[in-house]
Structures are given as C-alpha cells and as structure tokens.
C-alpha cells in the first residue's frame, strides 16, 4: 500500500516505523523545525528525525496550504495516515487518496475528543485509556472508528501512558490498514450523546491546593508536564512536583510534615506524599533529600 504519513511528536514515531516496515511510505509530512527544548536552537520534529533515518522523503508544513496539498497529491497515496500532526486538516485532503485519511487518536472515542486525551483521562480517574483508528472528518475527532484498544491507567503518568499508547496505536493502525485493503473494515459512528472534550491543559488548572483531595492532587501531578506543571508554594517558596502519591497518614490540611525521609502534605481529604520535586531555580531531586534542609513549622498553599 502506498502511504502519505502525517505526524510530528514522539507519539507518532512507532506508527511511522510500523508502516515503513510493511508499506511504501511515499511521503512524510511534519511540522517545521522549532525550538523544542530549553535551548534556542531549532530542532527537527521526532517524526522528521526518524523519517530521515529511514530514508523517507520529508515535507515540512506549518499548515496544509496549496503547496502541501500539491505535494500530497503528487505522492499518489492509496491512503493518508495521520498521527498527531498538529494542525487542522482541510476538507480537500480527505478526498486525495482512494481509501481516504485515517487518524490514530489517543482515546476511546467518543470520550476525550481534542488535544489532551491522555492527560484528561488521568485527571478524570479513568480506569482505562486507549486508542482509536478513525476516519479524518470535517469536525475535530468526529469521524467513525474501525479499531480500538485500551490499557489500564493505574498509577501511570502521562509520559508512561503516551509511550504505551503510541505502540498500541501503531499496531492497531497496521491492522486497520489490512482491513481497509481487503474491504473488511467495519466502521462505527460515534455516539454524540457520549462525547467528552479534551482541551489542552492550562497552567492554572494544574496548580495544587490543600483545598483539594490528595487523590485529585496526585492525578494532577501524574497528568502534568513542562507546559502545564504541577506547582505549589511550600512555606512561601515555589515548588514543582514531579512525582507524588496519596498516603495513609493523617496531616492537617495545609500543614506539612517532613520526617524519616518522607514529606507529607495535608489536603482537604487525605494526605499527599511528595516523591520527586524541582524547587524554583534548582534541579530535580528526591523529596526526601530536599526535605533534609527544611526547618521550622512548615505549611503549603496554592501558588
């Protein structure tokens, strides 16, 4: 099968690799080089870097304008595969390939349409997260799906779930293309009454507060990332929490105990134990070693 692949972040790479191993990937479309780390140097997307290693042709496009559409048409794909490309796709793209355009979405649609389905699943306390292979449609993530698979969320953080679901999405995409090719794909329209939305996380909603439960705070920590970190103020000093869990010990809401290598924060319901932190202006460290320098009566609050 001749394929045009569209994707950008690390989540897309397993799908690209799986398709390149079985099919003719005629063109890879990805977002342009950008500042992606802490430095100021431009870096290629994860998909561009891997595509070049595989010897595939790459087109960089910040949006699907006439130039990009012409390149996709010239590749004469049987199907277009989209995995976290990063911009709205025009309707003209949907009719370019005979088998259409399919997308790997990181949720069990119709739950969590949008940009942050994995993080929203963690915040909501979903027992399972998953992937859907769906047709690209005019409305965002609204197309029918032909394959779904899921994993247990448990205590995994967003990074761990993203890695796991990226591999699951790749295997489901390969299987879905086989059913497209032999005409056995069964499409399921999404139940509009069950749709939930997954907008990008904001910095404000990821702030930790003693007015919330320990379970809710722990979920925020597991869903957080560099663009929306889980932060709090401990005795007036800013602190990013990288790992934490709900603990059984009782601590008054807003109070902090640091003893025997453990740092416990009282919440409105339950207690939050810090495991790994990043004090403002400093590097990452275990909470136990960081707490060795704490003195006096301690308290915490929302930043």
């Amino acid at each position: 099968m001749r394929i045009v692949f569209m994707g950008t972040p690390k989540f897309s790479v397993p799908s690209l690799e799986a398709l390149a191993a079985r099919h003719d990937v005629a063109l890879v479309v990805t977002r342009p080089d950008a500042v992606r780390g802490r430095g100021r140097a431009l870096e290629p997307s994860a998909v561009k870097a891997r595509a070049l290693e595989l010897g595939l042709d790459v087109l960089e496009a910040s949006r699907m304008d006439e130039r990009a559409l012409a390149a996709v048409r010239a590749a004469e794909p049987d199907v277009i595969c989209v995995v976290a490309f990063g911009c709205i796709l025009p309707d003209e793209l949907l009719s370019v390939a005979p088998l259409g355009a399919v997308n790997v979405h990181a949720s069990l649609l119709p739950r969590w349409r949008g940009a942050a389905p994995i993080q929203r699943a963690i915040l909501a306390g979903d027992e399972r997260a998953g992937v859907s292979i769906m047709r690209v449609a005019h409305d965002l993530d609204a197309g029918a799906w032909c394959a779904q698979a899921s994993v247990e969320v448990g205590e995994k953080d967003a990074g761990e779930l993203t890695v796991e679901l990226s591999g699951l999405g790749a295997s489901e995409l390969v299987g879905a293309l086989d059913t497209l090719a032999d005409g056995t794909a069964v499409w399921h329209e999404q139940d509009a009454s069950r749709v939930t939305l997954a907008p990008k996380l904001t910095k404000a909603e990821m702030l930790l507060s003693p007015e919330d439960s320990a379970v809710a705070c722990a979920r925020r920590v597991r869903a957080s990332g560099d663009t929306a970190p889980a932060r709090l103020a401990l005795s007036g000093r800013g602190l990013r929490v990288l790992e934490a869990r709900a603990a059984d010990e009782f601590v008054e809401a807003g109070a902090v105990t640091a003893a025997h290598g453990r740092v416990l924060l009282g919440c409105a319901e339950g207690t939050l134990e810090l495991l790994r932190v990043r004090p403002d202006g400093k590097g990452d460290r275990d909470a136990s070693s960081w707490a060795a320098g704490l003195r006096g009566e301690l308290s915490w609050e929302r930043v």
Side-chain angles (χ1 to χ4, degrees), residues 1-5 16 19-21 23-28 56-57:
M1 190 177 290
R2 191 171 170 86
I3 293 171
V4 167
F5 182 87
L16 174 61
L19 296 177
H23 298 286
D24 174 15
V25 179
L27 179 66
V28 174
L56 302 173
D57 290 338

Side-chain angles (χ1 to χ4, degrees), residues 176-220:
L177 292 190
D178 289 343
T179 64
L180 277 178
D182 64 19
T184 61
V186 177
W187 295 95
H188 306 267
E189 295 295 337
Q190 296 184 36
D191 182 348
S193 68
R194 297 175 54 224
V195 170
T196 58
L197 302 180
K200 287 183 179 179
L201 303 182
T202 66
K203 291 182 178 179
E205 68 180 309
M206 301 306 289
L207 298 179
L208 306 182
S209 169
E211 297 180 357
D212 296 321
S213 71
V215 170
C217 289
R219 287 175 182 167
R220 285 196 184 98

Side-chain angles (χ1 to χ4, degrees), residues 3-153:
I3 293 171
V4 167
F5 182 87
M6 303 177 65
T8 299
K10 289 182 179 179
F11 181 83
S12 316
V13 171
S15 291
L16 174 61
E17 293 173 334
L19 296 177
R22 291 175 61 107
H23 298 286
D24 174 15
V25 179
L27 179 66
V28 174
V29 186
T30 188
R31 303 274 291 176
D33 294 358
V35 176
R36 303 181 192 280
R38 293 183 178 181
R40 296 183 178 181
L42 294 178
E43 295 182 6
S45 72
V47 162
K48 178 184 175 181
R50 186 63 180 129
L52 294 177
E53 291 173 351
L54 294 170
L56 302 173
D57 290 338
V58 174
L59 171 69
E60 296 180 57
S62 57
R63 59 189 181 90
M64 292 305 294
D65 54 15
E66 281 304 319
R67 178 186 71 94
L69 286 170
V72 173
R73 292 190 188 98
E76 299 182 336
D78 297 310
V79 65
I80 297 170
C81 296
V82 184
V83 187
F85 176 59
C87 80
I88 299 297
L89 303 179
D91 290 345
E92 297 95 303
L93 184 73
L94 309 186
S95 58
V96 169
L99 296 177
V102 295
N103 174 244
V104 178
H105 183 72
S107 83
L108 298 170
L109 292 168
R111 190 163 175 78
W112 302 133
R113 291 181 183 175
I118 296 174
Q119 293 83 352
R120 293 294 172 188
I122 294 173
L123 288 174
D126 289 1
E127 292 184 359
R128 302 191 70 81
V131 294
S132 301
I133 311 302
M134 53 164 286
R135 288 193 188 281
V136 179
H138 174 77
D139 293 327
L140 180 65
D141 300 331
W145 58 268
C146 68
Q148 288 187 329
S150 68
V151 298
E152 185 180 7
V153 174

